[in-house]
Amino acid sequence: MLTYCRRRGLDSKTRDEYIGTIERCSNQLLHLIDDIIDVAKIEAGEIKIKKSPISLVQLVRDTATTMEKYKADKGTGLSC
């Protein structure tokens, strides 16, 4: 995809779409790597998991808010 972005004849709209895709995929990869590192630390006993009370309603709201970005990018629906 970076090769396409470097093409001189590429219009700015298409280039911006490519760059947006690269940015989103890069962020997703970074989060995946972070998650893998966290799991490795948990398995090695470097991180202790502690139970604590949470608000399930707030958790769902926060998740829905986070997913709104993906909904807009992908043009898909999200309903709770």
Side-chain angles (χ1 to χ4, degrees):
M1 191 162 286
L2 283 173
T3 303
Y4 293 116
C5 288
R6 291 186 179 121
R7 289 188 179 172
R8 295 175 194 248
L10 198 62
D11 64 276
S12 63
K13 181 182 178 193
T14 303
R15 185 182 61 244
D16 290 345
E17 288 175 4
Y18 285 162
I19 290 170
T21 300
I22 292 168
E23 185 176 35
R24 283 189 303 279
C25 290
S26 298
N27 286 330
Q28 290 172 351
L29 181 58
L30 180 61
H31 289 294
L32 178 61
I33 292 169
D34 287 342
D35 290 345
I36 291 169
I37 291 170
D38 288 343
V39 168
K41 286 180 179 180
I42 291 167
E43 289 176 347
E46 295 176 16
I47 295 177
K48 302 285 185 206
I49 298 177
K50 182 176 86 172
K51 291 182 182 181
S52 61
I54 64 163
S55 167
L56 185 58
V57 172
Q58 188 61 46
L59 177 64
V60 171
R61 283 184 185 146
D62 291 346
T63 302
T65 299
T66 302
M67 296 306 291
E68 284 294 322
K69 290 184 274 182
Y70 298 108
K71 175 184 155 186
D73 289 345
K74 302 287 184 184
T76 60
L78 177 68
S79 57
C80 296

